[in-house]
Amino acid sequence: MATRYLLGNEAIAHGCLEANIDFASGYPGTPSSEVIDILRSQGERSFYVEWSTNEKVAYENALAAAWCTARALFTTKHVGLNVAADPLMTSAYTGVTGGLVVLSADDPFAHSSQNEQDTRCYAHFARVPCLDPATVQEAHDMIRDAFALSEEFNLPVIFRPTTRICHSKSDVTLGEVGQEHRKGMFRRDPKQYVVIPAHTRVLHVKLNEKQQGIKKRLVELGYNHAEIRGTTGIIASGVAASYVQEVIPDDISFAKVGAYPIDEDWLRGFVERHTRVLVVEELAPVVEEAVRRVATAAEVYGKLSGTVPFEGELSPAGVALAMEKAGFAPTKSFPPASPVEGIPPRPPILCAGCMHRSAFYAMRKVFKDGIFPSDIGCYTLGLQLGGVDTTICMGASITVGSGMKQSGEERDVVCTIGDSTFLHTGIPGLLNAVYNGADMTVVILDNRITAMTGHQPNPNTGVTAMGEESTPISLDAICRACGVAFVETVDPYDLPMLLSTFRQAKEKSGVKVIIAKQPCVISARRAGMKRKPYAVDTDRCTGCGVCRSFGCPAIAFVDEKAFVTELCAGCGVCADICPAGAIRKEGRR
Amino acid sequence: MKDSFDILIVGIGGQGTVLASNVLGEACIAEGKPVRSAETHGMAQRGGSVESHVRIGAEHGSLIAPGTADLLIAFDLLEALRYRHYLPEGGRVVTNSRFVPPTSVYMQNLQIPDESEILTGLAGLSVTCVDAAALAAEAGSTLAQNIVMLGAASVDIPLSPEALLEAVRKCVPKKTIEINEKAFRIGRSTDRGC
C-alpha cells in the first residue's frame, strides 16, 4: 500500500497491473489515451500491449484474448465505441472465459470530441454491466474489480470514466502489482463462439437470464448504495456524485449509483421513502428514467423536468443551482461570476513549424474555389486557416468528399486526412471512391505518428506500442493498390514543389492522392532534430501582413513589421511566402 | 463550510502549468494532505489557453467553482484577465508581468490590449506581478519560468517551502534540479506588489 499523486488514467492503469492484466489493446482518443500509454511504458512488462489500427480491430483482438482465458483490456473514447459497436453487441452473447474490460471514456462538454454521447446507453443496449467511477480512487479500485466481475458473469464489463476522472489527479492509495500471468489457450466450443442463428437464439436467452443476478450483485458489492437522512433525496452517478457530496446538507438522503444495470427493487426501496427526489447525472438521463419507472408517489426532478441540463458537464456550482431549482437548499451558494468580455481568444493552433500549415496554405492557394472535407486529428485545427469545411468522424473526409462529387457538386473537392486516420478507416473510403469513379484530390497529411492524442505510434511509424521496431507500411503502395494512378509524395516544407504538385493534381481527373510527408515538429524536436530559426530583415519588411495570414504562432508584429519569435521551428515556409524576400535563415544576410 | 484551499493555475499550452500543479500535488502527498486537481489535456504545446485546478485539502471533486478560488497563478498576464472571474472580489492573483499576444489577433485583425489596460482589468484584486522571464534567466534558464511563478506564489500557499522544494526536485528533469531550486528561491524572495 502506497499513496501517490496520480492522474485518473495513471490510477486506472495501475489498477490493471494489480489485476494481473495479460493483454491490452486500443486506439488513442482523448481522454482515454494515457491508460495504454502508461501500460506500454512500464519498465518491466510481462503482458502484451498494442495500439491497434482502429477500435473494432482492437476490440476483436482483446475479445479473442479473453476467449483464451486472458485478462484483457480494450480502451477507447466514447465515439470510438461506435466503431467497435458491432463486435460489442455480439460479444455479450458469446461471453468470455477470461476477463474483458471495455474502457470507454466519456467526454461531457465535448472538451475534445465531436459529440457528447453516453457509454451507459451502450451498456444497456448490449446488456452488459457498466461501472461508473465518481473519484480517481474509485476508478482505481473499480477497474481492478471489473476483471473479477467479468469472470464471475463471463461477460464483457464496460468501465466508463469521464474527462474529470481521466484527467483529474488526486492522492490515491495503491495496492501491489500482480505477478501472475496466464498463457492464452482457446477451448473449442462452436455453440459458444459461432453465432449462427441456431446458437445465437440460445445465447440470447442465457444473456437475459444473467441480468437479475448482475443487478443484485452490484448492490451487494456496494457500487450502488444509499443513506436515508430525511424525506427528500438526491440520487447521483459518476463524477456528479462527488459534486453532490460537496454541497448536500446532512438532512437530505443520498443514493449513489456506481454501476449498471440498476436493481429496481433497491432503487424503489430508496425512492419510496421520499416525497421528492432529485436525480443528478451527466449526459443521458439513464438513472432518471429508471427512477421514473419505479416512482409511484415521489415527485422526480432531473433532466426531464428541466432541472438539470442535458448538455455539458456538471460542477459543484451546477449541482447547487439544480438543487435550488428543485427547492432543495444546498449547503453552499455560488455567486454568479462571468468572465471579462472582449479578450482576444487563444484557441489551440497548429504548432510553429507544423507541416499541416503549409499543406493547407498550398491547398487553398491552388484550389481557390475548392471544398475541403477534413477529418479527426491535429489538422482539424486547419479550420482557422479556412482549410476545413466538414468534420464528422474518423475516416469520413474521403467518403464525404466522394459523396459530394457523386451528388453533382462541380467545384474541386480536396480532402485532408492524417496518416493514422487514413489507416483507421480511410482506406475503405479511398478504394470506394476510386472504384466508383469519383473525381477528387486526397491529401494524406503524413506526420508519421498519431500526434493529437499524445504521439502514439501507428503502423506508419516504424515502431510498435511495445517499443519494438517494425517495418512501416507504405502509404504510396496502399493507395496504388486501391487503384489510384496519381500518387505523389512531397515534402510540405518545399512550398514551390507542393504548389506544383497541387496544380498537377488539379489538371487531372479521377482520384488523385498527394502524400505530404514530414515528421511532426514535436516528435522531431524530441528526436533531437534541429533546424536553424528564421528572422526578419526589418529593412526589407514592408509590413504587408502576408506572413501574418499564414497563421504561424512564431510570427508576431512589432512596430508594424513582422517579427519571428523564439517559437520558430525553422521550417522556412514563411520565407517562401514573403513577397519582399525579407524572411531569411538567422545569421544570413 | 470550505475545507480546501483552491488554486487555479492558468497559462498557455506549453508553459508548464501541469508540471506546476504536479509540484503542488506532490507537496500535498509529502505533507499527508488530501488533494484533487483537474488539468487541460491535448493542448500541450499547441498555444491554447490552459487551466489547472488544484484543491489542497479537498475530499470531493477536482473542479473549482468560479468566484471561489483562493489564489490565481497566471503564467501570462492576458490569461490572468481571462480567468479573473474565478476569484472573489479582492481575491489574490500572482501573475507574470508579460504576455504573449494570441495568434488570433493577427489572423482576425483584433486589437492587442496593452499592459496597462490589462492591469486596469485586474483592479479590485490583490495583484503581484512577476517578471518571470527575467527571474528565470537569472536562475539559469528561461524554461524555469513556471517554477519562478510557483516560488513567487508559494508565500500564499498553505504548504511548507521545504515540501514544495522537495516536490520541485521530484517533478523537474534531473539535470535541471539545481536551476529549478534556484528559480523557486528567486521567485519566493521577489518583491510583493505590482
Side-chain angles (χ1 to χ4, degrees):
Chain A
M1 301 276 269
T3 301
R4 285 173 56 197
Y5 179 61
L6 291 182
L7 189 67
N9 281 344
E10 290 178 290
I12 290 167
H14 204 275
C16 292
L17 296 176
E18 292 170 35
N20 289 305
I21 191 175
D22 304 303
F23 188 103
S25 55
Y27 186 80
T30 309
S32 71
S33 318
E34 293 85 1
V35 175
I36 285 192
D37 275 338
I38 288 152
L39 289 174
R40 75 190 179 98
S41 64
Q42 294 299 308
E44 285 176 35
R45 187 185 343 93
S46 47
F47 51 88
Y48 178 82
V49 191
E50 76 170 37
W51 281 122
S52 310
T53 48
N54 69 35
E55 294 83 359
K56 177 172 144 65
V57 170
Y59 192 95
E60 289 157 3
N61 270 284
L63 176 63
W67 280 349
C68 293
T69 73
R71 283 196 155 184
L73 172 75
F74 157 69
T75 76
T76 181
K77 69 183 293 183
H78 58 300
V79 286
L81 194 56
N82 298 328
V83 180
D86 198 356
L88 167 68
M89 293 297 154
T90 308
S91 67
Y93 285 39
T94 67
V96 287
T97 51
L100 176 58
V101 176
V102 175
L103 184 159
S104 174
D106 283 352
D107 187 17
F109 192 62
H111 288 277
S112 52
S113 306
Q114 59 268 45
N115 71 29
E116 294 186 88
Q117 72 187 49
D118 193 323
T119 291
R120 296 177 300 166
C121 299
Y122 263 117
H124 176 71
F125 194 8
R127 308 211 80 186
V128 297
C130 175
L131 303 183
D132 190 9
T135 64
V136 170
Q137 180 73 55
E138 198 172 65
H140 163 272
D141 301 349
M142 267 187 174
I143 193 134
R144 192 181 51 192
D145 302 346
F147 288 96
L149 193 67
S150 171
E151 288 174 6
E152 184 179 340
F153 288 95
N154 299 117
L155 275 180
V157 168
I158 293 182
F159 177 78
R160 176 255 193 186
T162 51
T163 303
R164 297 299 181 187
I165 297 289
C166 294
H167 290 169
S168 279
K169 280 196 173 129
S170 89
D171 47 313
V172 189
T173 306
L174 302 172
E176 293 296 324
V177 170
Q179 300 300 339
E180 279 170 45
H181 288 281
R182 304 174 190 172
K183 190 169 160 24
M185 172 116 105
F186 184 66
R187 186 183 55 81
R188 296 179 69 223
D189 184 359
K191 287 198 166 98
Q192 193 74 32
Y193 301 121
V194 183
V195 286
I196 56 168
H199 296 165
T200 216
R201 288 174 198 132
V202 177
L203 294 171
H204 193 186
V205 173
K206 285 187 181 168
L207 172 63
N208 289 330
E209 282 169 356
K210 289 180 184 176
Q211 301 298 316
Q212 211 47 38
I214 296 169
K215 292 175 186 175
K216 299 282 177 218
R217 188 81 178 113
L218 295 176
V219 176
E220 240 173 69
L221 288 168
Y223 296 137
N224 296 337
H225 63 88
E227 278 175 59
I228 308 284
R229 302 161 178 164
T231 57
T232 57
I234 298 181
I235 306 176
S237 75
V239 73
S242 58
Y243 303 148
V244 170
Q245 283 170 305
E246 196 168 332
V247 294
I248 190 170
D250 292 337
D251 59 350
I252 293 182
S253 300
F254 177 62
K256 182 166 160 244
V257 175
Y260 306 81
I262 307 168
D263 181 27
E264 289 86 0
D265 295 337
W266 169 81
L267 191 62
R268 189 177 298 111
F270 179 82
V271 175
E272 279 185 346
R273 294 179 65 173
H274 299 94
T275 53
R276 297 183 317 127
V277 174
L278 169 66
V279 185
V280 182
E281 62 194 317
E282 289 182 323
L283 302 175
V286 174
V287 176
E288 185 179 349
E289 282 172 0
V291 169
R292 288 180 184 276
R293 279 194 297 274
V294 300
T296 46
E299 215 171 317
V300 180
Y301 300 87
K303 291 177 195 283
L304 299 167
S305 62
T307 315
V308 177
F310 267 90
E311 311 84 7
E313 64 178 347
L314 289 168
S315 63
V319 170
L321 184 67
M323 286 173 70
E324 280 162 14
K325 276 191 186 172
F328 293 43
T331 55
K332 291 185 197 173
S333 65
F334 296 88
S338 26
V340 177
E341 284 177 15
I343 302 172
R346 197 191 296 275
I349 44 174
L350 294 173
C351 302
C354 174
M355 66 104 156
H356 301 332
R357 183 175 285 104
S358 58
F360 281 118
Y361 180 84
M363 180 180 82
R364 291 208 55 203
K365 194 118 186 133
V366 173
F367 296 93
K368 286 200 170 64
D369 186 34
I371 296 181
F372 309 121
S374 191
D375 225 299
I376 311 275
C378 289
Y379 47 91
T380 317
L381 299 173
L383 176 66
Q384 294 155 38
L385 304 168
V388 175
D389 288 332
T390 71
T391 304
I392 171 148
C393 65
M394 293 288 288
S397 63
I398 304 176
T399 42
V400 163
S402 60
M404 285 175 168
K405 284 310 277 191
Q406 306 288 29
S407 76
E409 173 59 54
E410 287 180 356
R411 283 168 291 181
D412 287 315
V413 167
V414 189
C415 312
T416 44
I417 185 166
D419 52 322
S420 187
T421 311
F422 178 71
L423 297 172
H424 178 279
T425 33
I427 298 170
L430 181 66
L431 68 89
N432 176 70
V434 176
Y435 191 78
N436 291 299
D439 179 13
M440 63 198 287
T441 301
V442 174
V443 186
I444 303 180
L445 298 163
D446 176 10
N447 63 6
R448 323 292 299 152
I449 204 127
T450 313
M452 185 110 206
T453 44
H455 299 87
Q456 292 81 10
N458 65 53
N460 192 38
T461 308
V463 63
T464 70
M466 311 259 269
E468 284 153 13
E469 280 188 28
S470 192
T471 310
I473 53 90
S474 162
L475 291 177
D476 180 285
I478 289 179
C479 294
R480 289 185 194 281
C482 288
V484 184
F486 182 100
V487 184
E488 292 289 336
T489 301
V490 286
D491 174 2
Y493 288 169
D494 184 347
L495 191 61
M497 181 59 92
L498 192 59
L499 287 166
S500 89
T501 311
F502 270 109
R503 285 192 196 103
Q504 281 172 45
K506 190 175 161 63
E507 294 310 310
K508 292 208 157 48
S509 59
V511 175
K512 290 86 57 177
V513 173
I514 295 168
I515 303 168
K517 181 173 170 179
Q518 184 64 245
C520 162
V521 275
I522 297 178
S523 39
R525 187 164 56 228
R526 283 181 192 156
M529 197 188 280
K530 279 191 182 122
R531 285 193 169 88
K532 268 212 157 111
Y534 281 67
V536 176
D537 178 346
T538 43
D539 295 340
R540 283 194 170 212
C541 177
T542 61
C544 69
V546 168
C547 57
R548 196 157 88 157
S549 63
F550 186 51
C552 178
I555 300 174
F557 254 61
V558 176
D559 300 331
E560 302 195 350
K561 300 229 173 187
F563 177 74
V564 177
T565 72
E566 61 193 15
L567 292 174
C568 180
C571 77
V573 179
C574 56
D576 281 332
I577 287 171
C578 175
I583 308 181
R584 297 162 176 199
K585 230 175 227 174
E586 211 158 58
R588 205 192 277 175
R589 272 262 160 185
Chain B
M1 276 308 292
K2 192 157 167 168
D3 51 3
S4 58
F5 188 89
D6 298 341
I7 305 174
L8 191 72
I9 307 175
V10 302
I12 306 171
Q15 284 186 326
T17 48
V18 169
L19 191 137
S21 74
N22 285 350
V23 171
L24 295 175
E26 292 291 351
C28 288
I29 297 286
E31 291 198 0
K33 287 186 171 145
V35 58
R36 301 287 180 267
S37 84
E39 312 176 338
T40 312
H41 273 236
M43 303 309 163
Q45 306 181 45
R46 290 182 180 90
S49 170
V50 296
E51 55 188 299
S52 256
H53 299 227
V54 183
R55 308 187 69 194
I56 298 167
E59 308 267 359
H60 300 299
S62 56
L63 292 182
I64 301 170
T68 69
D70 296 293
L71 176 64
L72 174 65
I73 306 174
F75 290 1
D76 179 283
L77 184 61
L78 188 59
E79 296 311 300
L81 185 58
R82 196 184 307 282
Y83 291 94
R84 73 154 286 172
H85 63 290
Y86 272 85
L87 290 173
E89 274 312 301
R92 184 91 185 89
V93 54
V94 178
T95 177
N96 194 338
S97 57
R98 306 187 194 188
F99 75 99
V100 177
T103 307
S104 68
V105 300
Y106 303 121
M107 303 275 299
Q108 299 165 29
N109 257 326
L110 303 174
Q111 189 69 39
I112 306 178
D114 66 32
E115 281 174 24
S116 63
E117 276 170 32
I118 300 175
L119 286 172
T120 309
L122 295 177
L125 300 175
S126 155
V127 187
T128 295
C129 292
V130 179
D131 189 345
L135 295 180
E138 192 186 318
S141 166
T142 52
L143 294 174
Q145 291 185 48
N146 56 348
I147 303 300
V148 166
M149 291 303 303
L150 205 59
S154 66
V155 288
D156 295 309
I157 298 172
L159 290 166
S160 72
E162 294 75 28
L164 285 165
L165 265 170
E166 188 188 322
V168 166
R169 285 189 285 269
K170 196 167 175 184
C171 294
V172 302
K174 270 207 173 65
K175 54 183 180 184
T176 67
I177 287 178
E178 223 170 289
I179 289 172
N180 279 296
E181 280 179 329
K182 200 170 167 196
F184 184 87
R185 290 204 181 91
I186 290 175
R188 192 170 168 94
S189 59
T190 191
D191 289 340
R192 310 274 87 197
C194 220

